[in-house]
Amino acid sequence: DLGEGLRFVVTFGAVRRVVLGMALGLFGGGALFVLGQPFAEQVLGAGDSGYGALVTALGVGAAVGMGATTLWGRRVVRREAVFAGALTLVGVCIVLVSFAATVAGAAGWVLVAGAGTGVAYVMGFTHLHASVTDDIRGRTFAALFSTARAALLVSFGLAGLGAAALDGLLPGTLGSGVRAVLLLGGVTIVGSGV
């Protein structure tokens, strides 16, 4: 069943783009989950409360994005375009987070990234439900969840290693490996949106 779902995803362009976008978005966004605490504590010097502010901003932003999309999403005709635009917004915000100098600045960009994530989530799932027939829907979503979880797990594994490997390699602000990996994660999400 999973194989059949994956074959359907690969052959049907409208579904493939959403599944690939979600998987790459989670791959890039996984860096924020893994490196959020070291970013707040070591890079921004904010401690546990700084990390709490980032997590809160992400959650509030996601709730606002999902709520707004739920309220006004019925008016959206081009769901796939809104999904792609939201992913691009998330990626740009994570790139800007990687350059943030304060917790307040980082939390502001994380708030907007969370809102974009909420919009992308609702639009992506709505688009898939509208594009897939009942007889293949379960297998398609199984393929989506498997692909997305695998991308997230790989991201979790690579984020810390990447931060350690890149630490001190790049000049200036990006000399911090944590910042460099966040930048790469954001660029990955922008690429998936584009």
Side-chain angles (χ1 to χ4, degrees):
D1 284 347
L2 181 59
E4 188 177 338
L6 285 170
R7 277 191 298 279
F8 176 74
V9 166
V10 168
T11 58
F12 192 52
V15 173
R16 180 180 60 240
R17 288 186 293 273
V18 172
V19 170
L20 185 62
M22 285 188 172
L24 285 173
L26 285 170
F27 179 76
L32 187 61
F33 292 114
V34 172
L35 300 175
Q37 190 164 9
F39 178 69
E41 292 179 3
Q42 298 165 13
V43 177
L44 299 178
D48 288 337
S49 61
Y51 177 62
L54 295 178
V55 170
T56 301
L58 183 65
V60 169
V64 167
M66 289 175 143
T69 307
T70 301
L71 290 174
W72 294 295
R74 294 174 197 207
R75 298 181 185 146
V76 175
V77 177
R78 297 184 48 126
R79 289 184 200 101
E80 198 173 10
V82 173
F83 170 75
L87 274 180
T88 304
L89 174 67
V90 171
V92 168
C93 288
I94 292 178
V95 166
L96 293 170
V97 166
S98 73
F99 290 103
T102 64
V103 171
W109 290 120
V110 168
L111 179 75
V112 178
T117 301
V119 170
Y121 181 84
V122 173
M123 281 291 120
F125 275 81
T126 302
H127 183 68
L128 285 179
H129 276 285
S131 301
V132 178
T133 59
D134 289 341
D135 59 321
I136 192 80
R137 185 169 290 134
R139 287 167 279 202
T140 302
F141 277 91
L144 166 67
F145 292 135
S146 298
T147 305
R149 286 183 181 139
L152 193 58
L153 287 173
V154 170
S155 176
F156 285 171
L158 293 178
L161 295 173
L166 292 173
D167 201 37
L169 286 181
L170 299 172
T173 304
L174 295 177
S176 162
V178 171
R179 285 186 188 271
V181 170
L182 287 176
L183 174 70
L184 291 173
V187 168
T188 301
I189 298 170
V190 168
S192 71
V194 171

